[in-house]
Amino acid sequence: MAAADRPPATALGLDPVTERESLAPDLYPAVGAGTHFLNHPDLLGNVPEPAWYEANIPFVDLPDRDIRDTYYYRWRTYREALKYTGPKDGWIVSEFLGPVGYSAPNGGIVAAAGHHVYEGRWLRDHRYLDDYVDYWLRGSGAGPKPASDFLNKNTTDWSHQYSFWAADAVAARAAVDGRSRFATDRLPELVRQWERWSPQFNQDLGLYWQTPVWDAMEYTVSSYQSPDPYHGGDGFRPTLNAYQYGDAKAIAELYRSRGDTAAAQRFDQAAEALKANQERWLWDDAGKFYKHVMRDGNPGRTKLADREEIGFVPWYFHMPPAANSAAWAQLTDPQGFASPYGPTTAERRSPWFMKDALTGCCRWNGPSWPFATSQTLTAMANLLIDYPAQSYVDRDDYLAVLRGYALTQRKNGEPYVAEAHHPDENRWLYDGKGHSEDYNHSTFNDNVLSGLLGIRPQLGNEVSIAPLVPDSWNHFAAENVPYHGHNLTVLWDRDGNRYGKGAGLRVWVDGRLTHSQAGLAAVRLTIPARTSADVAELVDDFANVSRTGFPTARASHSYSADPPTKAIDGQDFHLDVPGTRWTSYGSPNAADWLEVDLGAPTSISDLRVVFYDDGGGVRVPATFDLQYWDGQWRDVPGQQRTPAQPVARQVNRVLVQPALTTSRVRVLPRRADGGAVGITSFSSWRVPVRGLSASIPDDLAVRAGAVETSTTVQAQQLLRGVQATLAVPPGWSAVPLSSAYAAQLATGQSLVTRWRVTAPAGLKLGEWVPIRVLATASGDGGVTSALSSAQTVFDPASYANVVWDDTFETDRIGSYRVDGPFGEPPPALRVANGVLTASSGTRAGSVLAAPVAGSARGTAVIVEPRSFAGSAPEDSLFLGQTAGNRDFALAWFNNAGKASGVDVTVAGSRKGDEATGGCCAALTWAPGDRLAVVVENGQLTSWQEHANRWTLLRSAPIGSVVDPAVVAGWAPGLGLRLDAGTVTIDRFTVRTKP
C-alpha cells in the first residue's frame, strides 16, 4: 500500500516491527581535512572513549609538560560534565558530577555557565553548547525559581540565580565556530537576560549591585565587613557591572553583524555609561584597583580598603582604560595576590586574608580559586595582547600564573581539580568526597588556546595569532583546532627540528599551509568563509536525570552503590566516587540483566552500551544479548554491532534495522567465568524527521478514568505522508477523534489530532505515566517525538459520600476529639458567623479529629482556609487521619515556609522517608485555594486547588509502615499550629468513595 493511501492509525500497539529503516548517523562529527603532525594517542593517554577526543578537541604539544598534561586532563573533566537531560533540554554542562540541592532543573548551575561556554566553544560537536545555551535562554534554566534565601531572594528565574556573562559567552562561542546565525537568532533572549538584571540597577550611581554569595563567593573580604559574612553585604562590585558591560558590547556587536545599527547603538551607549560609572565609583585611583562599594549604610559610597581578585575582572571584557594597567602590579606583589598556587582571592595585606579559611568550606578571602584564576588569566591575556604595552606584567608572568594554576590541579601526584586550593601549600582546601571531584567551575584549556598560544577568535572571516609563549620556548603546536568550519593548525618550531615542517611560525588551514613567518610577532589572517557543518540532531529516549518516574531501569541484581537508574542518568564517566554506573557486583546469579522501561512505546533503532571495567571484580563481558518486550522477552532482530565483540570504556553500538517500536528493552551481558559486569551508560538514540516538530500539552489531568488532548505535528518544509501516533502505556488506550494522517504538509502547516486517552481501572491517585506522540513522514527514516505525562488527579466528585461537612454555621467544636500530637497547648478555638478561628499569642497547636471514620475504599479530607496567621516559623494546617497523639498520618501545609510535606507516627514512633515519601513540596497559598488529603490503597496524597485546578503536592507510601485497613478506621483530622496570631477556616469536609 502506498504511503499516501495508508489509513490513519487508531493507536500504537506493541507490534515491534515497522516499515521504517533505521538511520545510522556517525557516532562523532567528522574531523575533515587537516594535519597529522602530533601523536594523538600518546597525548591522550588512557582516557575512556578516545574516539570522542579525536573527533572533538584541538590537540596541543607544549614543552611544559605540567601545562600539557593538565590540558588533556581538563578535556576529560569537561567530557565527564556533559549531561544529557532528555528530549526537552538536551545537553547541559554540569558543575558538580553529582546532584546538589540548589541547582536548576536537571542539575544546571548558572554560576560557571560563562566558563562552560568559553571552554566548550573549542569542541567540534556544536550540539552540546547549542543545547546548553538554549537551556539557559529558552529552556528549563530560563524558567521560574523561588525567590527564597536559599536560592537567591533577589531573583525569580534560574538564569539569574548567580551572576552570568551570557551574551559575551554566546558571542565568544560564535567567534570560534563561525555560526553567527545561532547567536543572532537568540538576540531577543540575550536582551531579555541583560534587562532582567534591572531590579539590581541603582539609577543614582548607574551601577548594578550584587550580593557576594550570588557572585558565587561566600565569606569574602567584603562579606566579613558586613553584618552577614556568609551572604556578604550587598554592594556595587566589579563583577556584575563588568558582566553587564561585556554583555552589552556583545549584544551591540551581534546587532551590527546583522546590520541593525540602531539597536547596536543603544547597547553601545549603555556599555559606555556603565564604563564611566564604574570608573567614577569603583576605581580607587589611590590604590590603583577596582573595589567593592557597600550599598547599605554607606551614604558616602566609600570604597573598601581591601583589594580582591575580582578587581581584575573588568579586563576580561576590555572595559578599563589603558591608564588603569597599574592594577596588575598587584598580581606579582608578594603582599598582593602572588602565591605559589595562586593567585589568592584577596590581597595578603587585608586583615581578613584567610580568616577561618582553614576551618571549613567555603571562603573566598584568600584561597586559590580556579573560577577566579581562569578569569584573571583571560583578563591578563587581553591586557598583554589587546592593550598598549605596559611595564607591570609580561608574557613570562602569564606563563608563571598559568603554570601555577596547572600545578594546583594535582592530588597525590595525579591531575585533579576540586573547589579551592591552599595558596601556599600543595593541597586542596575544599574537596568533599563524592562531591568535589573533577569540579567543572572554571576554564583552563581556553586559557591555553586563546591566551598562551594566542589563537584569538573573530566574528568575521579572520583569525589573529598572538602567542604569549616565552622567548625561551623553541616549539609548540595546536593541531586541527575547529575554527569557522575549518581545521586550523599553528606550529612554532624555532629551528624546524621538532616537527620537520620548517623553521618559524606556520599556519595550516584544512591541511594546507597558508602562512609562514620567522618569529612570533602577532599576525591577523583571513580565513575562507565557511560555516561549521551541522551535526545531525539526536535524542536519547532512555535518559532520566532525576532517576524518578519514567524511563526507569531495573536489574536482576545490583550492588548497593550502583543502582540500575545510574546507567540512564544522562552521564557517562568511569570514576569510583562519585559513580554513574550499574554493576552486578556481589550477585549470586550466573548472569544478570539490566532493563529500561520507557513506560510507553517508542522507536528503538540506535542502542549504545558503555561497559564499566575496574580491572578487578567488575570486568567487561565476553558477550551480551539484547531483548525487547512484546508480552514476552524476545531477541532484538536485525542487529548490526560495532565493535563485533564487547569493549570496555567505549561505545558498543547496536543499530537495529528495521527499527522496533516497544516500551521495554534489556541488555544481558555475560562473562565466561560468571563474574560481575557493569554499565556506565545505556542509551537509545533517535533521529527526528528533518523539518518536522511535534508537541502535546504537558501534564494531562485524568479524571473519571479518561482525558481528551490534542497533538500538533508541524512541518518546517514540504513533507508527504505525515502520520501521528499517540503511544500510551500497556493497559491504556488512545483513540483518535480526528485524522492522524496528512498526505502532505506544506511549510508552516500542521496536522492537529484530537485524542481520547483512557486509563486502566485501579490506577493509583496521583500516579504519573508517560504519553508520547510519534510522528513519521514518507521517505524519512526518522521519528519525531514529544513527551508528556498523564496523571490521575483528585476530583472530589469521585468521593461521593459526604460523611462530615462542617461549615461552622453552628458551633460543633464539642463534637471533635482534640488531640495534642505536637506537645503544645491548644490554640483558642471559636466558631462564629460561619468561620472557625484559632488564635494564640505564643506557639500553640492541636488536631481536631472528626467524629467519623474513614473508608477502606478511599477517604478525602478537604479544608477551605480563609486566612493564615502570618506568624513564623509555624503557620500551618494539617490534614489526614488520626487515632490520637501516637498514631496519625497527616500532611502539613506551612504557609510561612511555603512548603508542604507529610508526618507519619505509628505507636509513638515517628517514621521517615519510607513512609513520608521525603520532603518537601513548594506551597504558595492564595485566598480561595483549597487543600486536601486523600488516603487510599496505602497511599496518602496531598493536594492544592488553585483556579479550580487540583495539583499534587506530595505522595506518601504510608502503607509501608501501617496496615491501610487500620488507617481507614482512624478519624479524619484537621490540625492547626501557629506561633502567634489567628488562623481562620471556612469549611472542613470529609468524603469517601461509595
Side-chain angles (χ1 to χ4, degrees):
M1 181 179 293
D5 300 322
R6 187 180 299 130
T10 57
L12 184 63
L14 290 174
D15 181 3
V17 181
T18 74
E19 297 179 17
R20 293 175 296 101
E21 291 296 309
S22 299
L23 299 180
D26 293 337
L27 271 179
Y28 310 107
V31 175
T35 61
H36 304 279
F37 303 147
L38 305 181
N39 188 325
H40 296 183
D42 281 357
L43 290 167
L44 283 176
N46 186 32
V47 297
E49 201 179 346
W52 183 89
Y53 298 87
E54 186 66 48
N56 274 292
I57 73 168
F59 282 79
V60 303
D61 179 39
L62 306 173
D64 188 309
R65 182 156 187 165
D66 290 313
I67 296 176
R68 188 195 73 183
D69 289 353
T70 305
Y71 175 88
Y72 289 102
Y73 162 70
R74 287 298 299 264
W75 278 128
R76 178 170 70 77
T77 65
Y78 198 90
R79 171 71 179 87
E80 292 166 355
L82 295 173
K83 179 189 292 188
Y84 188 82
T85 64
K88 179 182 178 183
D89 288 319
W91 292 98
I92 68 167
V93 185
S94 63
E95 178 178 321
F96 296 98
L97 296 180
V100 294
Y102 53 85
S103 66
N106 295 322
I109 302 175
V110 79
H115 284 321
H116 296 159
V117 175
Y118 263 80
E119 194 89 329
R121 64 182 176 153
W122 300 100
L123 294 176
R124 188 166 281 105
D125 194 333
H126 61 78
R127 292 173 294 191
Y128 302 121
L129 288 190
D130 283 1
D131 287 352
Y132 187 53
V133 167
D134 280 349
Y135 170 82
W136 291 119
L137 297 181
R138 297 175 170 178
S140 299
K145 75 163 183 64
S148 66
D149 185 65
F150 179 61
L151 298 173
N152 188 351
K153 64 183 180 181
N154 303 321
T155 64
T156 57
D157 65 89
W158 291 108
S159 59
H160 291 81
Q161 182 184 14
Y162 293 92
S163 303
F164 177 25
W165 54 105
D168 171 81
V170 169
R173 188 271 183 115
V176 171
D177 73 4
R179 297 165 66 244
S180 295
R181 176 68 180 272
F182 178 89
T184 56
D185 281 353
R186 282 145 185 82
L187 272 167
E189 290 84 3
L190 293 172
V191 170
R192 181 185 65 189
Q193 174 77 13
W194 189 86
E195 290 176 339
R196 281 189 175 176
W197 287 110
S198 59
Q200 292 176 226
F201 186 73
N202 181 290
Q203 295 287 347
D204 293 335
L205 272 66
L207 291 174
Y208 295 87
W209 59 267
Q210 179 61 295
T211 308
V213 72
W214 305 121
D215 252 350
M217 287 176 271
E218 55 269 41
Y219 295 111
T220 67
V221 162
S222 48
S223 304
Y224 274 112
Q225 298 176 67
S226 78
D228 182 358
Y230 171 75
H231 291 90
D234 297 334
F236 304 99
R237 296 166 61 76
T239 47
L240 183 57
N241 287 288
Y243 300 164
Q244 284 293 88
Y245 171 87
D247 279 3
K249 296 296 287 185
I251 291 170
E253 187 175 17
L254 291 173
Y255 271 124
R256 269 192 298 273
S257 73
R258 72 178 197 186
D260 192 341
T261 56
Q265 185 178 20
R266 172 197 165 198
F267 284 92
D268 277 333
Q269 291 172 344
E272 290 308 308
L274 264 178
K275 179 177 179 177
N277 292 326
Q278 177 149 289
E279 289 305 302
R280 179 183 178 187
W281 296 107
L282 303 188
W283 174 254
D284 180 358
D285 198 51
K288 301 299 181 186
F289 217 72
Y290 292 101
K291 294 181 175 180
H292 177 109
V293 172
M294 289 291 190
R295 187 194 68 179
D296 302 326
N298 185 23
R301 303 306 183 192
T302 303
K303 303 170 187 68
L304 294 186
D306 316 84
R307 299 178 182 92
E308 300 177 83
E309 193 180 1
I310 58 174
F312 294 123
V313 167
W315 277 271
Y316 189 108
F317 305 95
H318 299 88
M319 190 179 187
N324 290 1
S325 299
W328 288 89
Q330 298 300 321
L331 186 67
T332 57
D333 189 329
Q335 291 303 305
F337 300 94
S339 65
Y341 300 98
T344 59
T345 45
E347 64 176 335
R348 293 178 186 270
R349 299 180 189 88
S350 171
W352 308 99
F353 177 75
M354 294 292 284
K355 176 179 170 57
D356 301 329
L358 305 183
T359 62
C361 190
C362 298
R363 285 160 172 80
W364 312 125
N365 62 339
S368 173
W369 186 30
F371 184 107
T373 300
S374 59
Q375 282 186 325
T376 299
L377 281 163
T378 298
M380 189 180 183
N382 290 344
L383 174 76
L384 293 171
I385 295 172
D386 302 328
Y387 277 72
Q390 40 72 44
S391 60
Y392 305 102
V393 288
D394 58 23
R395 62 180 59 200
D396 290 332
D397 296 316
Y398 185 89
L399 178 65
V401 175
L402 181 66
R403 191 166 197 281
Y405 183 26
L407 292 176
T408 65
Q409 298 178 67
R410 296 293 184 274
K411 185 176 182 179
N412 301 323
E414 297 295 325
Y416 185 84
V417 61
E419 296 184 65
H421 198 281
H422 198 292
D424 299 312
E425 300 174 12
N426 188 15
R427 63 186 177 99
W428 290 97
L429 288 177
Y430 309 140
D431 180 18
K433 186 176 181 181
H435 177 70
S436 304
E437 294 87 355
D438 294 352
Y439 185 44
N440 188 35
H441 201 240
S442 59
T443 59
F444 181 83
N445 295 338
D446 182 70
N447 301 118
V448 170
L449 293 166
S450 70
L452 180 67
L453 303 186
I455 302 173
R456 311 289 285 179
Q458 312 293 321
L459 277 178
N461 296 323
E462 292 182 320
V463 65
S464 174
I465 310 293
L468 291 177
V469 300
D471 292 335
S472 60
W473 275 23
N474 290 323
H475 73 272
F476 70 79
E479 182 166 66
N480 297 334
V481 178
Y483 189 80
H484 288 234
H486 299 279
N487 285 319
L488 183 71
T489 295
V490 181
L491 255 61
W492 164 245
D493 194 344
R494 188 184 301 275
D495 56 17
N497 293 329
R498 173 74 177 185
Y499 304 113
K501 301 300 174 183
L505 182 75
R506 280 169 157 69
V507 179
W508 284 258
V509 177
D510 297 333
R512 185 172 63 86
L513 182 64
T514 59
H515 177 78
S516 61
Q517 63 184 52
L520 284 171
V523 61
R524 185 178 290 261
L525 303 174
T526 299
I527 299 294
R530 182 191 295 173
T531 301
S532 299
D534 283 342
V535 185
E537 181 185 356
L538 288 173
V539 175
D540 177 13
D541 289 312
F542 282 4
N544 184 343
V545 172
S546 70
R547 293 161 50 196
T548 61
F550 290 97
T552 191
R554 56 184 72 96
S556 53
H557 177 86
S558 300
Y559 180 60
S560 59
D562 304 328
T565 50
K566 283 192 175 182
I568 60 169
D569 65 0
Q571 294 181 277
D572 180 15
F573 52 82
H574 297 257
L575 303 179
D576 285 333
V577 178
T580 175
R581 61 175 180 259
W582 163 77
T583 72
S584 63
Y585 186 76
S587 173
N589 306 322
D592 285 285
W593 49 260
L594 171 71
E595 175 196 343
V596 175
D597 186 346
L598 291 154
T602 195
S603 178
I604 305 294
S605 61
D606 187 352
L607 296 169
R608 304 179 189 181
V609 188
V610 181
F611 292 108
Y612 177 71
D613 190 327
D614 63 7
V618 180
R619 304 304 303 268
V620 65
T623 186
F624 66 94
D625 293 332
L626 284 169
Q627 297 180 335
Y628 71 93
W629 177 261
D630 71 345
Q632 61 180 308
W633 288 108
R634 302 182 187 274
D635 290 337
V636 171
Q639 298 181 39
Q640 299 179 14
R641 297 191 176 195
T642 307
Q645 299 299 319
V647 177
R649 295 166 29 112
Q650 297 185 38
V651 175
N652 294 265
R653 190 183 195 189
V654 182
L655 296 176
V656 180
Q657 294 190 348
L660 295 177
T661 300
T662 184
S663 60
R664 296 166 65 187
V665 178
R666 70 178 183 179
V667 56
L668 301 91
R670 296 191 302 277
R671 284 173 53 181
D673 60 3
V677 294
I679 292 174
T680 60
S681 175
F682 188 24
S683 55
S684 176
W685 293 92
R686 169 174 50 81
V687 178
V689 177
R690 184 179 294 274
L692 190 67
S693 65
S695 62
I696 182 173
D698 291 335
D699 304 340
L700 307 178
V702 178
R703 295 182 179 85
V707 63
E708 289 190 9
T709 189
S710 64
T711 60
T712 302
V713 178
Q714 186 177 57
Q716 286 80 51
Q717 63 187 47
L718 177 64
L719 293 170
R720 293 184 171 85
V722 177
Q723 177 80 51
T725 309
L726 200 60
V728 295
W732 290 65
S733 68
V735 178
L737 304 179
S738 62
S739 177
Y741 177 78
Q744 178 175 296
L745 287 180
T747 301
Q749 285 189 327
S750 298
L751 169 64
V752 179
T753 307
R754 290 288 304 171
W755 302 84
R756 182 173 179 81
V757 179
T758 304
L763 197 68
K764 283 187 177 180
L765 186 65
E767 184 173 339
W768 293 92
V769 298
I771 305 291
R772 299 175 187 271
V773 55
L774 304 176
T776 58
S778 297
D780 190 306
V783 178
T784 292
S785 180
L787 183 65
S788 181
S789 43
Q791 181 192 40
T792 51
V793 298
F794 174 56
D795 183 355
S798 299
Y799 300 79
N801 295 337
V802 178
V803 297
W804 181 257
D805 188 22
D806 196 343
T807 60
F808 306 111
E809 297 295 335
T810 59
D811 188 346
R812 302 164 71 186
I813 290 297
S815 302
Y816 292 94
R817 184 185 74 237
V818 179
D819 296 336
F822 314 122
E824 299 159 356
L829 301 175
R830 183 171 65 91
V831 172
N833 302 318
V835 177
L836 168 65
T837 300
S839 57
S840 178
T842 59
R843 173 70 62 83
S846 61
V847 174
L848 304 181
V852 294
S855 167
R857 295 180 58 82
T859 304
V861 185
I862 308 168
V863 65
E864 299 179 16
R866 173 174 289 193
S867 66
F868 280 87
S871 60
E874 282 300 332
D875 187 14
S876 304
L877 294 179
F878 293 75
L879 289 178
Q881 291 185 251
T882 175
N885 297 342
R886 293 172 52 82
D887 294 277
F888 55 83
L890 298 169
W892 51 267
F893 308 86
N894 187 312
N895 184 61
K898 307 299 182 187
S900 178
V902 178
D903 286 342
V904 180
T905 294
V906 179
S909 174
R910 185 168 182 172
K911 303 302 178 182
D913 290 353
E914 79 281 6
T916 66
C919 180
C920 300
L923 172 73
T924 301
W925 179 85
D929 291 358
R930 292 192 290 174
L931 304 170
V933 160
V934 178
V935 179
E936 186 174 303
N937 298 324
Q939 200 84 1
L940 182 153
T941 55
S942 58
W943 302 82
Q944 178 183 12
E945 184 193 42
H946 177 74
N948 297 316
R949 178 177 178 177
W950 287 99
T951 301
L952 178 69
L953 295 173
R954 297 296 303 162
S955 181
I958 62 174
S960 64
V961 297
V962 59
D963 186 345
V966 172
V967 176
W970 293 355
L974 165 64
L976 307 103
R977 195 180 187 200
L978 64 158
D979 277 303
T982 299
V983 176
T984 58
I985 306 295
D986 280 335
R987 193 169 190 170
F988 174 50
T989 307
V990 180
R991 307 171 71 107
T992 62
K993 278 190 173 178

